[in-house]
């Protein structure tokens, strides 16, 4: 029999230990509000690690470490904390990081298309769990290095006249959709999911009302939209950690399809509720409140999420993530902290205006206040000229509308105002679009030209 050396036996024992199904145990030291303090794990875990907590009725609850204090790990659960108390068992997988990861991960695949999932990849549509992919991806991933990213791709046709003409974007661009409540935001998102010229749509409903989820899926998306979409849902009653996870999970799914060479449209509703979840987490671990009660970590976490969207790595055959992030402006204040921070990160913004919606024109896009920073790379010179002329006319009409209504302006006093009074209503009528209607970019500019030049010209 061949004798083995001590070093060989040590190497074999080390390899066996790496594969052994052992775990690291601790205990709950305290529960306060949304936070759970765990003893015995502080020197073996790190921020973002997942734990399992055992309740008094024998069920296990997922949790994540969000901080450390006084040699105790501070965790937050992904479910209700009822049944937890001092002494409850807490455990985490142990072993070398290269063989056993404790951070959240997903294994998306094409079988996820047409499905409604929670942030953990579990089905919410009553169907069996979707088949996982061959590879798992970290949910909290880093964006590609700036110098390694590809340039923006070709023009993305939204199928919506107002966007095609006045806020055009290229594949891989990131825009914000700023709106108050009840202005038609969900309807517009449904139109984009069905009509945009993309391969895959990923929809994240973060903190959505539970009653509206099914209505959005069945009425706004419909079978046509769902056929090429993955919907990730965390309703408003979900724990803050799960609501935060919904945004990162949707981004991870979008990155999977992008790296497969697909053109992906990511619609996230809403970034504001994502930030509210971050605020709850930050305050629970003792962060000081800063701007309007938001702790500093919110404004550090926000770009980490938003920067993940965009083109893939150059030369790797990757596709694009064109992202539209909705922002709920409190009291229609477009300068509140979240709106201001998001606007500074993204490549453009689309404004939905309450007055336009109340006047009955949908989608209620304020074309004068909406902006795409990549518009110059989208339009042909003649298209750009049409859009600029329409903007000038609408701007003049907006300034003089009250005087015209009051009869304070006399026709013939100014040729530019006379032109605006005659043409602006035609442009407004052109911008009206039914929910089920899709108008491509060429047809959108043809309709704008007809409105500017007059019927039949």
């Amino acid at each position: 029999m061949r004798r083995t050396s001590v070093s060989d036996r040590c190497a074999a024992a080390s390899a066996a230990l790496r594969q052994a199904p052992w775990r690291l145990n601790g205990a709950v030291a305290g529960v306060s509000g949304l936070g759970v303090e765990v003893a015995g794990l502080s020197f073996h875990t790190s921020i973002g690690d997942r734990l399992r907590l055992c309740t008094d009725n024998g069920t296990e609850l997922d949790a994540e470490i969000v901080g450390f204090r006084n040699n105790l790990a501070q965790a937050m659960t992904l479910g209700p904390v009822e049944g937890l108390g001092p002494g409850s068992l807490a455990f985490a997988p142990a072993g070398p990081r290269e063989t056993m990861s404790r951070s959240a991960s997903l294994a998306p695949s094409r079988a996820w298309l047409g499905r409604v999932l929670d942030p953990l990849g579990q089905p919410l549509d009553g169907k069996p769990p979707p088949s996982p992919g061959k590879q798992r991806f970290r949910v909290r991933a880093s964006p590609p290095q700036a110098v390694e990213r590809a340039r923006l791709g070709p023009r993305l046709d939204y199928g919506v006249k107002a966007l095609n003409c006045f806020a055009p974007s290229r594949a891989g661009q990131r825009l914000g959709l700023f709106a108050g409540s009840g202005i038609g935001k969900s309807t517009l998102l449904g139109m984009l999911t069905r009509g945009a010229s993309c391969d895959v749509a990923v929809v994240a409903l973060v903190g959505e009302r539970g009653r509206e989820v099914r209505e959005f899926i069945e009425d706004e998306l419909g079978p046509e939209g769902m056929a090429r979409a993955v919907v990730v849902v965390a309703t408003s009653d979900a724990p803050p950690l799960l609501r935060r996870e919904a945004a990162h999970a949707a981004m991870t799914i979008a990155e999977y399809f992008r790296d497969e060479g697909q053109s992906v449209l990511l619609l996230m509703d809403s970034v504001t509720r994502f930030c509210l979840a971050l605020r709850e987490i930050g305050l629970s671990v003792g962060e000081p409140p800063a701007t309007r009660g938001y702790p500093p970590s919110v404004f550090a976490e926000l770009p980490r999420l938003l920067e993940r969207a965009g083109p893939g790595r150059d030369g790797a055959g990757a596709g694009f993530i064109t992202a539209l992030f909705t922002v709920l402006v409190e009291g229609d204040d477009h300068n509140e902290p979240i709106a201001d921070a998001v606007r500074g990160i993204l490549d453009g913004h689309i404004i939905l205006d309450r007055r336009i919606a109340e006047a009955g024109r949908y989608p209620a896009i304020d074309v004068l206040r909406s902006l795409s920073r990549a518009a110059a790379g989208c339009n042909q010179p003649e298209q750009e000229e049409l859009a600029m002329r329409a903007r000038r006319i609408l701007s003049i009409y907006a300034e003089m509308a009250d005087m015209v209504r009051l009869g304070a302006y006399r026709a013939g006093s100014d040729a530019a105002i006379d032109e605006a009074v005659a043409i602006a209503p035609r442009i407004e009528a052109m911008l009206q679009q039914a929910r089920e209607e899709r108008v491509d970019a060429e047809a959108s500019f043809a309709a704008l030209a007809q409105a500017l030049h007059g019927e039949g010209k």
Side-chain angles (χ1 to χ4, degrees):
M1 177 183 294
R2 179 179 176 270
R3 292 189 175 185
T4 58
S5 65
V6 174
S7 59
D8 290 341
R9 281 179 283 178
C10 288
S14 176
L17 285 174
R18 288 173 181 269
Q19 302 299 324
W22 60 294
R23 69 186 191 186
L24 186 65
N25 287 343
V28 172
V31 181
S32 177
L34 301 173
V36 179
E37 293 183 329
V38 181
L41 302 179
S42 298
F43 299 102
H44 308 282
T45 54
S46 58
I47 299 291
D49 281 357
R50 284 291 171 86
L51 308 176
R52 300 283 284 177
L53 308 178
C54 297
T55 64
D56 56 8
N57 61 5
T59 60
E60 294 181 355
L61 185 63
D62 285 313
E64 182 177 309
I65 295 178
V66 294
F68 294 92
R69 182 185 298 162
N70 299 327
N71 293 333
L72 295 176
Q74 295 179 294
M76 294 189 73
T77 64
L78 279 72
V81 296
E82 284 78 11
L84 288 178
S88 296
L89 177 65
F91 63 90
R97 289 279 177 175
E98 64 270 17
T99 61
M100 190 175 296
S101 175
R102 291 191 287 261
S103 58
S105 62
L106 290 174
S109 69
R110 293 201 64 83
W112 290 29
L113 290 174
R115 301 301 303 272
V116 183
L117 308 170
D118 71 6
L120 305 179
Q122 300 302 312
L124 296 176
D125 50 13
K127 301 177 183 178
S131 302
K134 297 180 180 179
Q135 183 179 355
R136 298 194 70 85
F137 300 90
R138 290 187 60 190
V139 171
R140 305 289 297 281
S142 300
Q145 291 292 330
V147 295
E148 296 178 359
R149 291 196 111 146
R151 301 285 297 270
L152 294 177
R155 181 192 189 112
L156 182 77
D157 191 336
Y158 284 118
V160 177
K161 290 183 285 186
L163 297 181
N164 283 338
C165 291
F166 295 100
S169 66
R170 298 166 63 184
Q173 193 171 343
R174 304 161 305 167
L175 296 104
L177 177 60
F178 296 78
S181 58
I183 309 183
K185 168 174 51 63
S186 297
T187 301
L188 178 58
L189 293 180
M191 292 173 67
L192 294 173
T193 306
R194 295 190 307 271
S197 57
C198 63
D199 301 316
V200 175
V202 179
V203 182
L205 302 179
V206 182
E208 186 60 89
R209 303 174 187 89
R211 176 188 61 81
E212 295 182 353
V213 171
R214 185 173 177 183
E215 294 177 2
F216 177 80
I217 292 171
E218 295 180 357
D219 299 341
E220 305 300 343
L221 297 186
E224 180 185 359
M226 278 302 300
R228 62 172 184 169
V230 182
V231 182
V232 181
V233 178
T235 52
S236 60
D237 61 324
L241 208 61
L242 210 56
R243 282 179 271 138
R244 184 204 68 182
E245 202 79 349
H248 285 288
M251 188 68 74
T252 302
I253 296 169
E255 288 172 335
Y256 163 76
F257 286 106
R258 178 195 66 190
D259 294 343
E260 290 288 310
Q262 305 289 301
S263 176
V264 183
L265 177 66
L266 172 65
L267 304 174
M268 188 172 294
D269 183 21
S270 70
V271 169
T272 304
R273 297 192 186 111
F274 169 75
C275 291
L276 290 175
L278 293 177
R279 181 169 69 178
E280 293 178 48
I281 296 169
L283 295 178
S284 293
V285 297
E287 277 194 80
T291 309
R292 289 203 188 177
Y294 289 101
S297 63
V298 173
F299 300 98
E301 183 74 15
L302 197 54
R304 293 191 192 118
L305 173 72
L306 304 184
E307 285 288 352
R308 291 173 64 180
R313 287 182 171 82
D314 194 16
F320 303 89
I321 299 177
T322 307
L324 196 62
F325 302 96
T326 71
V327 180
L328 294 171
V329 288
E330 300 178 4
D332 292 339
D333 178 12
H334 290 264
N335 294 316
E336 57 93 20
I338 299 303
D340 202 40
V342 170
R343 192 165 44 241
I345 297 170
L346 300 182
D347 308 318
H349 49 269
I350 300 163
I351 307 295
L352 297 187
D353 190 272
R354 191 174 301 278
R355 289 175 298 177
I356 295 175
E358 290 171 349
R361 195 257 281 170
Y362 289 95
I365 298 171
D366 188 336
V367 298
L368 292 178
R369 298 165 64 196
S370 299
L371 171 70
S372 169
R373 293 191 175 99
C378 296
N379 294 337
Q380 300 296 325
E382 59 274 14
Q383 294 174 335
E384 189 67 21
E385 184 178 348
L386 285 173
M388 292 299 295
R389 185 187 172 200
R391 282 182 180 273
R392 286 195 298 269
I393 289 173
L394 291 174
S395 179
I396 294 171
Y397 184 77
E399 292 178 1
M400 300 299 299
D402 290 339
M403 294 185 64
V404 172
R405 293 190 191 99
L406 293 172
Y409 173 75
R410 181 179 299 176
S413 301
D414 188 293
I417 298 176
D418 291 342
E419 180 187 46
V421 171
I423 296 178
R426 295 205 299 262
I427 299 176
E428 286 290 333
M430 184 276 298
L431 294 175
Q432 176 77 32
Q433 186 169 338
R435 183 176 67 181
E436 64 280 355
E437 183 182 6
R438 184 188 186 280
V439 184
D440 63 30
E442 293 297 326
S444 299
F445 278 103
L448 180 60
Q450 189 176 42
L452 288 170
H453 300 147
E455 194 69 34
K457 294 185 180 180

